[in-house]
PDB file of all heavy atoms in Angstrom:
ATOM      1  N   VAL L 293      45.383  -3.756 127.482  1.00 96.00           N
ATOM      2  CA  VAL L 293      45.809  -2.360 127.388  1.00 96.00           C
ATOM      3  C   VAL L 293      45.821  -1.954 125.914  1.00 96.00           C
ATOM      4  O   VAL L 293      46.387  -2.659 125.063  1.00 96.00           O
ATOM      5  CB  VAL L 293      47.199  -2.159 128.008  1.00 96.00           C
ATOM      6  CG1 VAL L 293      47.665  -0.712 127.805  1.00 96.00           C
ATOM      7  CG2 VAL L 293      47.166  -2.507 129.491  1.00 96.00           C
ATOM      8  N   TYR L 294      45.173  -0.787 125.582  1.00 96.00           N
ATOM      9  CA  TYR L 294      45.151  -0.224 124.233  1.00 96.00           C
ATOM     10  C   TYR L 294      45.697   1.192 124.306  1.00 96.00           C
ATOM     11  O   TYR L 294      45.322   1.991 125.189  1.00 96.00           O
ATOM     12  CB  TYR L 294      43.738  -0.241 123.656  1.00 96.00           C
ATOM     13  CG  TYR L 294      43.229  -1.650 123.464  1.00 96.00           C
ATOM     14  CD1 TYR L 294      42.538  -2.312 124.486  1.00 96.00           C
ATOM     15  CD2 TYR L 294      43.498  -2.336 122.284  1.00 96.00           C
ATOM     16  CE1 TYR L 294      42.107  -3.622 124.321  1.00 96.00           C
ATOM     17  CE2 TYR L 294      43.064  -3.651 122.121  1.00 96.00           C
ATOM     18  CZ  TYR L 294      42.377  -4.284 123.137  1.00 96.00           C
ATOM     19  OH  TYR L 294      41.970  -5.577 122.974  1.00 96.00           O
ATOM     20  N   THR L 295      46.614   1.581 123.393  1.00 97.00           N
ATOM     21  CA  THR L 295      47.345   2.845 123.432  1.00 97.00           C
ATOM     22  C   THR L 295      47.295   3.486 122.055  1.00 97.00           C
ATOM     23  O   THR L 295      47.314   2.796 121.021  1.00 97.00           O
ATOM     24  CB  THR L 295      48.807   2.610 123.833  1.00 97.00           C
ATOM     25  OG1 THR L 295      48.838   1.943 125.093  1.00 97.00           O
ATOM     26  CG2 THR L 295      49.572   3.919 123.932  1.00 97.00           C
ATOM     27  N   TRP L 307      37.797   7.849 124.018  1.00 97.00           N
ATOM     28  CA  TRP L 307      37.812   6.419 123.641  1.00 97.00           C
ATOM     29  C   TRP L 307      36.381   5.865 123.663  1.00 97.00           C
ATOM     30  O   TRP L 307      35.537   6.321 124.433  1.00 97.00           O
ATOM     31  CB  TRP L 307      38.653   5.600 124.626  1.00 97.00           C
ATOM     32  CG  TRP L 307      40.132   5.908 124.581  1.00 97.00           C
ATOM     33  CD1 TRP L 307      40.759   6.910 125.240  1.00 97.00           C
ATOM     34  CD2 TRP L 307      41.101   5.176 123.851  1.00 97.00           C
ATOM     35  NE1 TRP L 307      42.118   6.884 124.977  1.00 97.00           N
ATOM     36  CE2 TRP L 307      42.347   5.806 124.106  1.00 97.00           C
ATOM     37  CE3 TRP L 307      41.066   4.084 123.003  1.00 97.00           C
ATOM     38  CZ2 TRP L 307      43.532   5.359 123.554  1.00 97.00           C
ATOM     39  CZ3 TRP L 307      42.244   3.627 122.464  1.00 97.00           C
ATOM     40  CH2 TRP L 307      43.465   4.268 122.719  1.00 97.00           C
ATOM     41  N   SER L 317      40.105   2.098 133.155  1.00 95.00           N
ATOM     42  CA  SER L 317      40.805   3.339 133.500  1.00 95.00           C
ATOM     43  C   SER L 317      41.410   3.929 132.225  1.00 95.00           C
ATOM     44  O   SER L 317      41.534   3.235 131.212  1.00 95.00           O
ATOM     45  CB  SER L 317      41.912   3.072 134.532  1.00 95.00           C
ATOM     46  OG  SER L 317      42.895   2.186 133.995  1.00 95.00           O
ATOM     47  N   GLY L 318      41.787   5.255 132.289  1.00 95.00           N
ATOM     48  CA  GLY L 318      42.534   5.899 131.225  1.00 95.00           C
ATOM     49  C   GLY L 318      41.720   6.741 130.276  1.00 95.00           C
ATOM     50  O   GLY L 318      42.294   7.313 129.339  1.00 95.00           O
ATOM     51  N   THR L 321      43.037   9.955 128.265  1.00 95.00           N
ATOM     52  CA  THR L 321      44.493   9.887 128.085  1.00 95.00           C
ATOM     53  C   THR L 321      44.811   9.053 126.851  1.00 95.00           C
ATOM     54  O   THR L 321      43.926   8.581 126.142  1.00 95.00           O
ATOM     55  CB  THR L 321      45.158   9.244 129.313  1.00 95.00           C
ATOM     56  OG1 THR L 321      44.803   7.851 129.354  1.00 95.00           O
ATOM     57  CG2 THR L 321      44.686   9.910 130.601  1.00 95.00           C
ATOM     58  N   ARG L 322      46.104   8.835 126.575  1.00 95.00           N
ATOM     59  CA  ARG L 322      46.534   8.063 125.406  1.00 95.00           C
ATOM     60  C   ARG L 322      46.452   6.566 125.647  1.00 95.00           C
ATOM     61  O   ARG L 322      46.607   5.795 124.710  1.00 95.00           O
ATOM     62  CB  ARG L 322      47.971   8.421 125.039  1.00 95.00           C
ATOM     63  CG  ARG L 322      48.133   9.827 124.472  1.00 95.00           C
ATOM     64  CD  ARG L 322      49.599  10.141 124.153  1.00 95.00           C
ATOM     65  NE  ARG L 322      50.217   9.068 123.423  1.00 95.00           N
ATOM     66  CZ  ARG L 322      51.331   8.433 123.793  1.00 95.00           C
ATOM     67  NH1 ARG L 322      51.952   8.799 124.925  1.00 95.00           N
ATOM     68  NH2 ARG L 322      51.836   7.453 123.061  1.00 95.00           N
ATOM     69  N   SER L 323      46.180   6.096 126.862  1.00 96.00           N
ATOM     70  CA  SER L 323      46.218   4.658 127.153  1.00 96.00           C
ATOM     71  C   SER L 323      45.056   4.293 128.067  1.00 96.00           C
ATOM     72  O   SER L 323      44.798   4.991 129.070  1.00 96.00           O
ATOM     73  CB  SER L 323      47.554   4.284 127.817  1.00 96.00           C
ATOM     74  OG  SER L 323      47.605   2.912 128.095  1.00 96.00           O
ATOM     75  N   ILE L 324      44.335   3.177 127.692  1.00 96.00           N
ATOM     76  CA  ILE L 324      43.216   2.729 128.522  1.00 96.00           C
ATOM     77  C   ILE L 324      43.389   1.245 128.826  1.00 96.00           C
ATOM     78  O   ILE L 324      44.088   0.504 128.117  1.00 96.00           O
ATOM     79  CB  ILE L 324      41.863   2.955 127.818  1.00 96.00           C
ATOM     80  CG1 ILE L 324      41.808   2.183 126.482  1.00 96.00           C
ATOM     81  CG2 ILE L 324      41.568   4.423 127.620  1.00 96.00           C
ATOM     82  CD1 ILE L 324      40.435   2.200 125.835  1.00 96.00           C
TER      83      ILE L 324
END
Side-chain angles (χ1 to χ4, degrees):
V293 176
Y294 295 90
T295 303
W307 293 85
S317 62
T321 69
R322 290 179 47 235
S323 180
I324 60 172

